[in-house]
Amino acid sequence: MKVSKCRFGVLSDGTKVRLYTADNGAMSFSVTDYGCIITNISVPDKKGDRNDIVLGYSTFEGYLNDTKTYFGACIGRYANRIANAHFSLNGAEYSLDANDGTSCLHGGFKGYNRTVWKAKPIEGENEAGVRFTRTSPAGEQGFPGKLKLEIEYILTKANELIFRYKAAAKEDTVVSLTNHSYYNLAGEGSGDILSHKLRLNASKYLPVDARLIPTGKQLEVEKSAFDFRSAKTIGCDIKKAGGYDHCFCIEQNRKEYAKGAASGLYFCAEAEDEKSGRKMSVYTDCPGVQFYSGNFLDVPAGKNGMPYTKYAGFCLETERYPDSPNRPEFPSALVKAGETYESVTVHIFNA
């Protein structure tokens, strides 16, 4: 399998931005070295017709000027929200960018989604993709510790899209990396995702306050609008929930392990659009997944000038729990000096 490369845009300082595309003959994806942003995932429906199933823009300028949606982007140093843009570590206090009210969201004003990464195509008999690398210096976004980052996005012949993350820490720090693609399995720009069926492997979720910061509790989903243990439409209880923008606690059991690239990972989620027949299954080693139903989407012109309004796409962001640096009762997000953070998430597509 091969990777094609083309020019995507130019930054004001003259830095050239490239777009890379991997195609296995059945499906394809494209990603740019600006923010490791996935710009396209084209998947066949039950008739064999391909459609792009991720929201985004037709031009580089769209991504460059967008400071709200994080369409398709790599998120770091810390995915999701950190309360009061502040945390303490080893007795030292760290102040972060307050870019979401009083909170730090997705790393701050200049997260990993707004930097150019070094890119190297990966080509093999059964897979193709891109390896991205960069160094995040100590103090970037206010976070302690230098990080050496390596991220791979890989497509296999089995229609598996693999996300691999590594972050080697020079000093003690906190890390949580994810991808922020918005999916609409009927095809981007085709309407809302309320009729999509969703199943989540989670018996608990993290309730949030008015700032969308976890309260620290882990509530049972049973008999609530947050119960997706059996598949139901996203719109079924969305009014009761007030929209979904919550972290679900993944059940780390061995009952639903997959084969292939997802072997050894925990089942996370399964989404399906019955009209097109497209199905996406997600496996990960992360403790949590942020299910976001696109509550705040208001994009006048997405791809091909199509507007994206409320519920036009959904996100499944595999991650460590939000605000974990301030919540000792949550699984730790600490990466000690000399250690390497590693995480893998696999999306499997079929129709």
Side-chain angles (χ1 to χ4, degrees):
M1 291 174 59
K2 299 293 184 180
V3 176
S4 62
K5 181 176 71 172
C6 66
R7 181 171 169 174
F8 193 47
V10 181
L11 294 177
S12 59
D13 64 1
T15 302
K16 295 178 181 179
V17 175
R18 305 293 185 182
L19 187 70
Y20 301 81
T21 299
D23 192 320
N24 66 6
M27 66 169 284
S28 65
F29 84 99
S30 296
V31 59
T32 174
D33 50 14
Y34 178 78
C36 305
I37 293 171
I38 289 182
T39 63
N40 179 293
I41 301 177
S42 291
V43 182
D45 62 10
K46 58 187 176 183
K47 297 179 181 178
D49 297 328
R50 284 199 205 185
N51 287 104
D52 183 5
I53 61 165
V54 289
L55 276 57
Y57 299 100
S58 297
T59 66
F60 170 61
E61 287 71 25
Y63 295 99
L64 185 64
N65 296 325
D66 188 341
T67 59
K68 295 181 179 180
T69 67
Y70 300 90
F71 283 149
C74 169
I75 302 299
R77 179 172 302 196
Y78 203 91
N80 217 313
R81 293 171 175 85
I82 294 180
N84 301 314
H86 176 273
F87 71 97
S88 60
L89 180 62
N90 298 334
E93 304 293 322
Y94 295 95
S95 295
L96 313 173
D97 292 340
N99 63 324
D100 184 50
T102 59
S103 305
C104 179
L105 175 64
H106 296 331
F109 292 113
K110 190 178 180 182
Y112 292 171
N113 60 305
R114 302 190 72 81
T115 60
V116 177
W117 295 60
K118 292 181 181 179
K120 182 179 181 180
I122 298 171
E123 298 178 334
E125 183 178 353
N126 296 308
E127 64 181 32
V130 186
R131 178 180 297 116
F132 297 102
T133 57
R134 74 177 294 263
T135 297
S136 176
E140 186 173 50
Q141 307 159 330
F143 289 92
K146 178 180 177 181
L147 278 185
K148 186 176 181 181
L149 296 155
E150 180 180 295
I151 294 174
E152 293 180 351
Y153 295 165
I154 297 174
L155 175 65
T156 73
K157 280 192 174 180
N159 288 354
E160 303 157 322
L161 186 55
I162 306 168
F163 299 82
R164 291 196 184 105
Y165 305 92
K166 292 183 180 180
K170 184 73 172 178
E171 297 89 30
D172 288 3
T173 189
V174 295
V175 179
S176 181
L177 306 176
T178 195
N179 177 266
H180 206 297
S181 289
Y182 290 70
Y183 299 93
N184 186 323
L185 299 180
E188 64 80 26
S190 64
D192 65 52
I193 44 78
L194 297 180
S195 64
H196 280 48
K197 285 189 173 180
L198 178 68
R199 182 163 67 100
L200 296 175
N201 181 26
S203 60
K204 295 181 180 180
Y205 76 102
L206 305 183
V208 296
D209 62 20
R211 302 170 298 163
L212 298 177
I213 297 292
T215 63
K217 296 180 180 179
Q218 297 183 37
L219 296 185
E220 298 284 343
V221 301
E222 189 173 4
K223 297 181 180 180
S224 79
F226 298 88
D227 193 350
F228 285 91
R229 291 174 298 173
S230 296
K232 67 179 181 181
T233 62
I234 291 174
C236 179
D237 294 316
I238 200 166
K239 289 185 178 179
K240 293 179 183 178
Y244 298 101
D245 196 0
H246 301 75
C247 184
F248 286 75
C249 309
I250 297 170
E251 289 288 328
Q252 297 187 341
N253 55 54
R254 297 177 179 268
K255 294 180 180 178
E256 297 190 69
Y257 271 31
K259 298 179 181 179
S263 178
L265 302 178
Y266 304 114
F267 171 68
C268 172
E270 184 176 85
E272 181 179 10
D273 172 55
E274 291 188 333
K275 187 174 181 180
S276 68
R278 292 189 185 94
K279 184 183 292 185
M280 179 177 74
S281 302
V282 183
Y283 294 79
T284 189
D285 56 5
C286 292
V289 58
Q290 186 82 5
F291 168 42
Y292 174 48
S293 54
N295 315 323
F296 307 114
L297 277 173
D298 183 16
V299 177
K303 292 177 182 176
N304 302 309
M306 289 293 295
Y308 297 142
T309 56
K310 192 175 184 178
Y311 309 140
F314 68 94
C315 302
L316 293 170
E317 306 156 53
T318 54
E319 61 184 17
R320 295 187 175 186
Y321 293 177
D323 202 32
S324 285
N326 292 312
R327 293 286 181 182
E329 65 270 31
F330 287 172
S332 176
L334 174 66
V335 181
K336 293 184 178 180
E339 293 183 345
T340 298
Y341 166 100
E342 295 189 59
S343 179
V344 180
T345 295
V346 176
H347 292 237
I348 304 173
F349 298 91
N350 57 63

